[in-house]
Amino acid sequence: MRKTALPALFALHIAVFLFGAAGVLGKSLAVSSLMLVFGRTLFAALCLIPVLAYQRQLHVRDVSKSDVLCGFLLAMHWLTFFASLNFAPVAFGLMGFASFPLFVALLEPWFFKEPRRTHDAWAAIFVVIGMVVMVSATSWGDGAVYALGLGILSGFSFALLAMVNRWQGGHIPPCKLAFLQNGVAAILLFPLILVTGDLAGNSAQVWSGLILLGVVLTALSHGLFMFSLRHLSTSFASIVTSLEPVYGMLLAFLFLQEMPGMREFAGAFIILAATAYASYQHQVH
C-alpha cells in the first residue's frame, strides 16, 4: 500500500468506529429521529465554523449545487435509517444498509470510468452475507418489509454520498466539505423541526448528548471519512465502513449490556474476514 494511503486507512477506521458509537449514543437519547438528525448536523456545522474561520475558508458563496445534493443525501441517509427502526428491530435496518457496498461496487466503475475490481465485488458480497447471518435469527413481523426497504434506501443514499464525496474531495478540504454538507442538511431539516415542534421540551442531558453527537461523532468522523476518500477508492472505503455494525455491537455490549448471540458473532467474523481480504488486496495492488 502507498505510504500516503496509510494515514487515510487509519482515519477511515477511526471514522467507522465513531459511526458505530453514534448509533449507540443515538439510541440512548430520548428524541425523535428527526430531532436526532437535525441536532447532529446543526452542531457538526457550528463546531466547524471557528476552524474554517481560522483557516480563512469560510465563504458562503462557495456553496454549490453538489453541496446541496450531498446535504440532501446526508439527511436522507440518516432519516431513512432511523425511521426504519420505528417499524422493526435494529437488525432489519442494518440488513438493508448492508446493501451499501454492493451499490458502490456496481456504481463506482460507471461513475468514475474505472475498471471493475473483482476482489472488491467479492468482499462486498461476503459483507452482505455476514449481515444476513447477523440478522437471520430475527423473526419477520408486519413492519419488517418497510424497515428493510428504508434500510436499503439508506444504503443507496449513502453510496451516492460517498461517491460524490470522493469526487469533491480532490479539490475541497475535508473540514470545509463536512461543514457545507452538514450545514445544508440542517437547513433542509429546520422547517420540518418547526412544524413538528421537536425543539421544545428537551432536557439539558439531551442537548449535551446532541452536542457530543454533532461535534465528535459527526463532524470529526465525517471529516476523517472524507479525508480517507482522497487516497482510497470508494469501493474499499465501503467495505471498511461495513465494520460499523461490528463496532456498534461491541460498544452496545460495553455500554448498553446488549449481549450478542452466536449468529451475531458469526456474521461479525464474516465481515471482519471480508474487510481483511479487501485490505490485503489493496496492499498487494
Side-chain angles (χ1 to χ4, degrees):
M1 180 177 289
R2 304 183 311 274
K3 289 184 178 180
T4 55
L6 290 176
L9 181 61
F10 180 74
L12 177 59
H13 276 278
I14 296 298
V16 174
F17 179 81
L18 294 176
F19 289 164
V24 175
L25 178 60
K27 185 175 181 180
S28 65
L29 295 177
V31 293
S32 66
S33 58
L34 179 62
M35 183 62 189
L36 194 65
V37 178
F38 173 74
R40 72 184 299 183
T41 55
L42 174 65
F43 289 115
L46 290 177
C47 80
L48 289 171
I49 291 178
V51 178
L52 296 177
Y54 175 77
Q55 297 175 346
R56 297 183 179 180
Q57 296 177 355
L58 191 61
H59 305 290
V60 178
R61 65 178 180 271
D62 290 343
V63 179
S64 64
K65 292 181 180 179
S66 59
D67 295 321
V68 176
L69 173 62
C70 284
F72 172 77
L73 290 173
L74 183 64
M76 184 170 69
H77 157 62
W78 278 331
L79 283 175
T80 50
F81 177 75
F82 286 114
S84 71
L85 309 185
N86 296 325
F87 293 97
V90 178
F92 289 94
L94 287 175
M95 186 165 69
F97 181 70
S99 61
F100 159 56
L102 281 182
F103 283 128
V104 171
L106 291 172
L107 295 176
E108 186 177 38
W110 172 78
F111 198 88
F112 290 101
K113 309 301 181 183
E114 296 175 344
R116 294 188 179 275
R117 302 180 181 90
T118 304
H119 52 81
D120 279 346
W122 278 110
I125 290 172
F126 275 99
V127 164
V128 175
I129 292 174
M131 292 297 298
V132 171
V133 171
M134 290 178 71
V135 301
S136 59
T138 309
S139 60
W140 288 77
D142 294 336
V145 175
Y146 297 104
L148 184 60
L150 287 169
I152 291 174
L153 183 58
S154 176
F156 178 69
S157 58
F158 193 75
L160 292 177
L161 176 63
M163 287 186 285
V164 179
N165 278 338
R166 179 190 169 190
W167 175 76
Q168 284 187 307
H171 56 278
I172 301 178
C175 286
K176 187 173 184 178
L177 199 56
F179 166 75
L180 291 173
Q181 294 178 9
N182 281 282
V184 169
I187 292 172
L188 292 176
L189 294 173
F190 185 63
L192 297 177
I193 286 290
L194 292 180
V195 171
T196 59
D198 286 351
L199 280 175
N202 295 308
S203 65
Q205 182 180 5
V206 168
W207 285 111
S208 298
L210 289 175
I211 291 173
L212 176 61
L213 185 63
V215 174
V216 178
L217 304 183
T218 302
L220 178 60
S221 62
H222 279 255
L224 291 171
F225 182 75
M226 292 167 192
F227 167 76
S228 71
L229 290 177
R230 303 177 79 173
H231 303 285
L232 303 172
S233 72
T234 317
S235 295
F236 176 62
S238 72
I239 301 300
V240 177
T241 305
S242 298
L243 286 171
E244 178 185 346
V246 179
Y247 288 143
M249 186 173 64
L250 174 62
L251 291 170
F253 169 71
L254 293 176
F255 294 100
L256 301 177
Q257 288 75 52
E258 293 183 358
M259 181 63 183
M262 289 304 298
R263 295 193 183 187
E264 285 81 1
F265 277 120
F269 175 80
I270 294 173
I271 293 173
L272 286 170
T275 306
Y277 168 76
S279 300
Y280 172 76
Q281 290 296 329
H282 277 259
Q283 287 177 357
V284 299
H285 290 87

